[in-house]
Amino acid sequence: MIVQLSGTLTSKEPGHCVIDVGGVGYGLCISLTSLGQLPEAGQKASVAVHTYVREDQLSLYGFTTEEERTIFRKLISISGIGPKIALAVLSGLTPEGIVAAVGTRDHARLATIPGIGKKTAERMVVELGDMFAREMRSRPQHGAAGPAVFADALSALTNLGYQRAHAENALKKAAVSEEMKVEDAIKAALRELCKA
């Protein structure tokens, strides 16, 4: 089983990337969140990997963070949710956003993700709600902003192509408050990013 790959990123496109390791190119399915955190083609990259094996299929799924792979594995453990749906969820929200939405039983927010209907959102909440709610309580809060506001703004910034670490830093510098709308938090963070 392949659990990690480190090599040269030879190509990347929405939903897919190729990493050359010692002359062998490994094709990986990847979320938009992870795609935004990869370097440019030709540079070194390292990803955590989930090897998905079925009778008629062998696929590799790549993640730039261990947390994203963990959530992917939790999602595909739910009956009726396969790797494609799990990647759609991870492309629609950051890992923090998924934990917040499921942990607070926010069906409506989950159902806004392309490919996720009301029934799938409900299944996610039923199967993982208690676990993610406990995880939320054990996490440190992100300054004054509510975790959902921070996570949504972070997801938007990484989808715009900003590196996750830079986006997180900009959100913290922007000192977003819980009264802020997500759009305002994004605008404030963009102002900080433009200063850099």
Side-chain angles (χ1 to χ4, degrees):
M1 182 191 310
I2 298 170
V3 295
Q4 183 169 342
L5 288 172
S6 295
T8 303
L9 182 70
T10 58
S11 70
K12 65 175 185 175
E13 58 189 56
H16 190 262
C17 72
V18 177
I19 295 181
D20 183 302
V21 181
V24 178
Y26 291 89
L28 299 126
C29 300
I30 194 164
S31 73
L32 294 179
T33 303
S34 278
L35 186 73
Q37 296 172 28
L38 287 174
E40 293 303 312
Q43 296 184 16
K44 296 291 182 187
S46 183
V47 293
V49 176
H50 175 81
T51 305
Y52 184 79
V53 181
R54 288 292 177 268
E55 287 179 14
D56 59 343
Q57 181 183 5
L58 170 62
S59 301
L60 300 177
Y61 292 83
F63 310 94
T64 52
T65 66
E66 185 61 43
E67 183 180 24
E68 194 179 22
R69 179 172 63 180
T70 299
I71 289 178
F72 175 86
R73 287 175 170 169
K74 287 176 182 175
L75 289 171
I76 63 172
S77 72
I78 299 171
S79 175
I81 295 184
K84 286 184 181 178
I85 294 177
L87 269 195
V89 174
L90 287 163
S91 292
L93 292 172
T94 62
E96 295 89 347
I98 295 166
V99 170
V102 175
T104 58
R105 290 159 172 73
D106 191 346
H107 300 87
R109 188 163 166 228
L110 293 167
T112 62
I113 300 169
I116 304 302
K118 185 180 175 184
K119 287 184 179 178
T120 303
E122 288 174 354
R123 207 175 304 129
M124 288 168 61
V125 167
V126 168
E127 296 272 346
L128 301 174
D130 290 341
M131 180 192 304
F132 283 2
R134 284 193 301 273
E135 192 171 323
M136 281 175 63
R137 287 193 293 269
S138 68
R139 286 183 178 195
Q141 296 300 308
H142 298 289
V149 173
F150 189 93
D152 283 349
L154 180 60
S155 175
L157 291 167
T158 55
N159 286 336
L160 286 171
Y162 289 100
Q163 291 288 330
R164 183 183 182 85
H166 295 158
E168 283 182 346
N169 194 36
L171 284 165
K172 288 172 186 172
K173 280 185 181 176
V176 289
S177 67
E178 61 184 57
E179 292 82 23
M180 268 182 157
K181 292 181 179 177
V182 174
E183 304 84 53
D184 295 332
I186 293 167
K187 287 176 188 174
L190 285 169
R191 283 194 291 271
E192 292 296 332
L193 287 162
C194 288
K195 290 178 190 174

